[in-house]
Amino acid sequence: MISSFFPPQRTLMGPGPSDVSPRVLGALARPTIGHLDPLFVQLMDEIKELLQFAFQTKNELTLPISAPGSAGMEACFVNLLSPGDKVIVCQNGVFGGRMKENVERCGATAIMVEDTWGEPVSIGKVVTAFDQHPDASILAFVHAETSTGVCSDAAALCALARGRGALSIVDTVTSLGGIEVLADDWGADAVYSGTQKCLSCVPGISPVTFSARAVDRINNRVHKVQSWFLDMQLIMGYWGGSSKRAYHHTAPVNDLYALHESLIMLQEEGLEATHQRHRRNHEGLVAGLEAMGLAMAVAPEFRLPQLNSVLIPEGVDDAALRTTLLQEFSLEIGAGLGALAGKTWRIGLMGFASNERNVVYCLNALEAVLDGQNAAINTGVALPAARAALKR
Ligand SMILES: *Cc1c(COP(=O)(O)O)cnc(C)c1O
């Protein structure tokens, strides 16, 4: 007979999911109530308000999609695009490629602006793309590229789109809760995120926010949105401002308790303090890795504090190292993706997992396993270097 599943206690320092706090797991285990229960409707309103805070927006259409980050991505594309539209898509990693896929499945055309993996989106190339395609009505880009650990200039890209009369679609799945996301200040039009990265909530929900301009475009659609489930007009009927809520789908009630709790934690710590914590722990980790003799894959000015790409030293068995970390240290770090597969490790310091204990634990484990593989590293120096950086 198959029996209950009891997962081990891992330390999740990969590209997501990140460690979920006991407080959020506790919220998840509270009694399920009806998804149209007046108390649940109140909770929905609070979640919308907390998400406005997280995104730093006054956008009325701000809510969690009942599906993972990929669904938030798809929701933005299917609601804003119609067949025949032209979209400038920036690709400097894995997720820009998924945007292209979304654009094409909407019957629209993707004008690709490609940059080397490990570098940010080039503003100059986007300017050229708009010059060559003045009829492009949308610019889509990833703020924090999780596949490479690179941050692109969201403020400049959104401003550029506005200046050309285009709307912007911004992927903030890995940025929200880790680095500054300023939907209103940027003038972003459709922004989506995920719960399992820096919000350190359970995977499976995708917060989104749409500007008034984006809502206008949605309301003036001629073609029906190709996805019934992700049609914002229908979702608005369920999540909308009026007290009368129409059934569209059953919200993941307990997951939303968890999201509410994780957003409360974000509010309690404060956005600035949260971002500072991510920055400090990142600096501690990098100091330790560099003291060990490892090199970071991304230039300092473009590094994401929540996702650290490290070059794998010559002669090290990538897969064997990650397996040993998992089996002997119950520690998960990420492998390189796409063009960087086998070349980098991706060490996450996301949300609840961004803490000093994890920095020290990861450096210790990495040093032990690399030393065990006879890699040419400096031993005994990573921790003092990390501790000194963490004190700064
Ligand atoms: C993780 C991630 C996604 C997809 O989120 P899922 O929850 O895995 O569907 C999209 N974009 C970026 C940048 C991500 O890091």
Side-chain angles (χ1 to χ4, degrees):
M1 205 169 71
I2 297 175
S3 53
S4 304
F5 178 62
F6 294 98
Q9 184 70 59
R10 302 273 196 227
T11 297
L12 298 179
M13 297 181 70
S18 62
D19 288 334
V20 179
S21 77
R23 208 173 135 179
V24 170
L25 289 176
L28 197 65
R30 289 173 197 154
T32 304
I33 60 175
H35 76 117
L36 293 172
D37 186 309
L39 289 176
F40 189 70
V41 171
Q42 264 179 38
L43 181 87
M44 290 164 83
D45 285 337
E46 287 188 6
I47 290 173
K48 288 198 282 186
E49 198 177 315
L50 287 163
L51 285 178
Q52 287 174 330
F53 161 73
F55 279 123
Q56 292 285 286
T57 184
K58 294 193 170 67
N59 290 343
E60 224 167 284
L61 187 54
T62 303
L63 52 82
I65 299 278
S66 306
S70 305
M73 178 188 282
E74 189 146 346
C76 291
F77 284 92
V78 297
N79 282 281
L80 291 181
L81 270 55
S82 297
D85 284 346
K86 253 192 194 181
V87 181
I88 297 178
V89 175
C90 307
Q91 178 166 20
N92 60 339
V94 165
F95 292 99
R98 293 189 174 184
M99 288 178 151
K100 175 175 190 266
E101 190 65 33
N102 271 278
V103 169
E104 290 171 350
R105 284 172 192 235
C106 292
T109 305
I111 313 293
M112 298 305 290
V113 171
E114 313 224 10
D115 279 290
T116 308
W117 291 35
E119 283 174 25
V121 172
S122 149
I123 309 289
K125 285 188 192 171
V126 178
V127 169
T128 307
F130 270 118
D131 286 345
Q132 290 170 347
H133 304 276
D135 54 339
S137 60
I138 301 226
L139 171 68
F141 66 93
V142 179
H143 178 217
E145 218 347 310
T146 323
S147 62
T148 62
V150 166
C151 186
S152 287
D153 189 343
L157 289 165
C158 290
L160 180 53
R162 286 237 150 174
R164 301 297 180 118
L167 301 192
S168 49
I169 296 181
V170 190
D171 180 319
T172 64
V173 175
T174 283
S175 26
L176 196 70
I179 53 176
E180 226 172 34
V181 171
L182 302 170
D184 282 2
D185 282 3
W186 294 346
D189 293 298
V191 186
Y192 61 92
S193 189
T195 45
Q196 46 134 332
K197 315 264 167 126
C198 293
L199 292 179
S200 276
C201 182
V202 288
I205 310 177
S206 178
V208 295
T209 184
F210 292 90
S211 72
R213 295 198 314 162
V215 173
D216 262 1
R217 185 164 164 134
I218 294 172
N219 287 338
N220 289 311
R221 289 184 66 90
V222 180
H223 296 268
K224 257 189 180 177
V225 171
Q226 71 193 57
S227 163
W228 175 85
F229 181 66
L230 294 174
D231 185 335
M232 289 311 296
Q233 303 254 25
L234 301 177
I235 293 176
M236 278 187 253
Y238 180 39
W239 276 92
S242 67
S243 54
K244 189 136 179 51
R245 306 269 165 113
Y247 167 63
H248 172 253
H249 65 280
T250 307
V253 172
N254 292 56
D255 288 1
L256 290 177
Y257 299 164
L259 175 59
H260 184 265
E261 196 69 26
S262 72
L263 291 169
I264 296 263
M265 288 173 71
L266 182 66
Q267 187 190 49
E268 283 174 2
E269 186 175 5
L271 290 176
E272 206 172 310
T274 304
H275 301 155
Q276 271 170 12
R277 171 168 56 81
H278 279 85
R279 163 105 358 233
R280 193 173 52 247
N281 291 321
H282 158 75
E283 281 165 3
L285 180 74
V286 171
L289 292 170
E290 289 183 341
M292 222 188 281
L294 300 180
M296 303 302 291
V298 174
E301 62 271 33
F302 307 126
R303 281 178 199 160
L304 292 170
Q306 64 273 48
L307 199 285
N308 300 271
S309 277
V310 192
L311 294 173
I312 301 176
E314 202 111 344
V316 168
D317 185 337
D318 169 26
L321 176 132
R322 282 182 291 105
T323 303
T324 309
L325 285 179
L326 194 65
Q327 287 177 350
E328 290 176 16
F329 295 85
S330 212
L331 170 63
E332 178 177 285
I333 67 167
L337 271 189
L340 299 173
K343 297 192 179 128
T344 59
W345 291 312
R346 293 179 299 150
I347 306 180
L349 282 170
M350 294 182 174
F352 185 67
S354 175
N355 61 63
E356 293 190 11
R357 181 198 158 278
N358 279 359
V359 170
V360 168
Y361 187 66
C362 178
L363 288 169
N364 258 331
L366 211 49
E367 178 170 322
V369 180
L370 282 169
D371 200 36
Q373 281 200 18
N374 295 317
I377 54 156
N378 312 315
T379 54
V381 289
L383 283 202
R387 290 220 166 86
L390 287 166
K391 271 200 210 101
R392 257 178 240 141

